[in-house]
């Protein structure tokens, strides 16, 4: 199974659902549709209406983040995993570099993952090294640390997807070389087998994925799908990624 996840970030208003309708129409006609899943993470403001619309359809809706406390609390502006699940979202991203930049520590992320799983959300846990880590050849140790400090085998095995997003690649048009990326994804899977005691962990790649480079990523069999930012804000670009992947 492959995953195409579109992370809209701060993008979208109610009428943007038309883009998702187009993706849904494409999906229903696509002869490859049994081979992949489409998930979109719109902003919180659209979660309920989109999740309702796509309830019995093939696109799943997820949130881009969640708060580290459950149920209700007195934290202004916070949205708990319980609240996200209650409006019909099935997935949540946790640990996106944007949120790590805003102060999400490993401890906070652990709590987010734990509570999201408790509320029956599938967690897409994002990890990635920055430019400096890469330059100093610290990529593997940074990634290992990000995984070990947050994940643990108590977490339900099948509810965690890991998205490897090198920070220097997000929104820059720069992508890792095939050799680099293959080695890194194999390394992440090796670590996940130990931490999650999981035999076939799901690992996605994210960072400047588009219709023109997706074929390169396809050559790396260990990559189970993609977390797509910029190109997910256009139905045509998003569909092109899927089309070109299966070309
Ligand atoms: P881009 O595809 O725009 O590089 O963004 C990747 C990303 O951050 C998805 O979460």
């Amino acid at each position: 199974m492959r995953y195409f996840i579109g992370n809209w970030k701060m993008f979208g208003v109610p009428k943007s659902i038309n883009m998702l309708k187009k993706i849904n129409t494409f999906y229903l006609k696509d002869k490859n549709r049994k081979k992949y899943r489409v998930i979109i993470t719109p902003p919180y403001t659209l979660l309920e209406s989109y999740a309702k619309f796509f309830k019995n359809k093939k696109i799943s809706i997820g949130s881009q983040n969640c708060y580290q406390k459950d149920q209700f609390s007195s934290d202004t502006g916070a949205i708990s995993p319980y609240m996200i699940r209650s409006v019909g979202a099935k997935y949540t991203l946790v640990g996106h570099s944007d949120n790590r930049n805003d102060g999400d520590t490993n401890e906070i992320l652990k709590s987010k993952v734990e509570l999201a799983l408790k509320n029956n959300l599938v967690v897409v846990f994002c990890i990635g090294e920055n430019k400096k880590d890469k330059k100093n050849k610290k990529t593997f140790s940074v990634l290992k640390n990000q995984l070990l400090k947050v994940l643990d085998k108590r977490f339900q095995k099948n509810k965690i997807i890991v998205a490897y997003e090198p920070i220097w690649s997000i929104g820059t048009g720069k992508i890792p070389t095939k050799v680099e990326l293959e080695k890194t994804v194999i390394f992440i899977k090796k670590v996940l087998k130990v931490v999650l005691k999981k035999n076939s962990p799901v690992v996605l790649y994210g960072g400047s994925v588009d219709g023109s480079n997706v074929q390169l990523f396809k050559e790396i069999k260990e990559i189970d799908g993609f977390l797509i930012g910029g190109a997910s804000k256009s139905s045509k670009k998003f569909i092109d990624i899927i089309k070109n992947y299966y070309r």
Side-chain angles (χ1 to χ4, degrees):
M1 182 56 67
R2 296 289 186 245
Y3 293 80
F4 294 89
I5 306 185
N7 176 16
W8 278 11
K9 308 187 183 182
M10 197 174 85
F11 169 85
V13 287
K15 70 175 183 213
S16 316
I17 199 167
N18 291 329
M19 285 172 39
L20 300 192
K21 290 180 184 169
K22 284 184 195 155
I23 297 171
N24 195 52
T25 306
F26 163 79
Y27 179 91
L28 293 174
K29 288 192 210 141
D30 186 8
K31 63 177 187 328
N32 292 307
R33 68 181 178 279
K34 297 244 157 62
K35 299 181 188 160
Y36 64 90
R37 287 194 184 131
V38 173
I39 299 144
I40 302 289
T41 63
Y44 287 133
T45 46
L46 302 172
L47 280 184
E48 178 168 16
S49 59
Y50 284 20
K52 248 187 201 146
F53 184 85
F54 286 102
K55 191 164 182 216
N56 295 313
K57 302 193 175 66
K58 292 298 172 190
I59 293 181
S60 298
I61 300 298
S63 88
Q64 297 172 15
N65 195 4
C66 62
Y67 199 59
Q68 62 268 26
K69 291 187 195 168
D70 206 8
Q71 301 277 336
F72 303 132
S73 76
S74 51
D75 296 277
T76 304
I79 312 273
S80 68
Y82 169 75
M83 291 156 80
I84 291 164
R85 190 71 186 98
S86 77
V87 296
K90 295 192 181 127
Y91 291 76
T92 185
L93 306 184
V94 172
H96 192 282
S97 64
D98 291 339
N99 306 127
R100 290 179 189 260
N101 267 342
D102 289 341
D104 274 9
T105 59
N106 287 327
E107 196 183 6
I108 290 174
L109 295 175
K110 193 173 182 101
S111 172
K112 289 185 176 191
V113 172
E114 199 156 6
L115 294 171
L117 293 174
K118 184 179 150 210
N119 283 282
N120 218 11
L121 291 164
V122 176
V123 170
V124 180
F125 182 58
C126 307
I127 59 172
E129 83 285 3
N130 64 27
K131 209 169 150 186
K132 194 166 160 224
D133 301 328
K134 181 175 157 59
K135 191 166 162 264
N136 294 335
K137 306 209 179 321
K138 293 261 168 57
T139 300
F140 282 17
S141 62
V142 167
L143 298 177
K144 190 173 177 184
N145 194 51
Q146 289 174 337
L147 292 169
L148 294 183
K149 288 272 161 60
V150 175
L151 303 182
D152 96 46
K153 62 177 186 302
R154 289 178 299 121
F155 296 160
Q156 293 149 280
K157 299 179 211 165
N158 298 317
K159 295 273 179 70
I160 294 183
I161 292 173
V162 167
Y164 169 55
E165 298 205 301
I167 298 168
W168 51 269
S169 171
I170 298 177
T172 60
K174 296 194 176 114
I175 55 169
T177 64
K178 189 186 162 201
V179 176
E180 228 170 41
L181 186 55
E182 188 163 37
K183 272 194 198 151
T184 311
V185 175
I186 289 173
F187 173 77
I188 293 168
K189 288 198 167 179
K190 215 169 89 189
V191 176
L192 286 174
K193 279 182 193 169
V194 178
V195 241
L196 292 179
K197 305 269 178 256
K198 191 168 161 56
N199 280 327
S200 36
V202 177
V203 177
L204 315 181
Y205 169 76
S208 297
V209 176
D210 63 27
S212 67
N213 60 26
V214 73
Q215 275 276 333
L216 299 173
F217 298 121
K218 188 184 177 179
E219 291 172 18
I220 305 172
K221 297 282 169 284
E222 286 80 11
I223 296 180
D224 301 296
F226 305 96
L227 182 53
I228 302 151
S232 72
K233 296 180 217 170
S234 141
S235 48
K236 183 182 178 308
K237 286 185 183 165
F238 191 79
I239 291 168
D240 274 353
I241 292 176
I242 301 175
K243 273 189 189 159
N244 289 346
Y245 185 83
Y246 289 107
R247 201 173 46 181

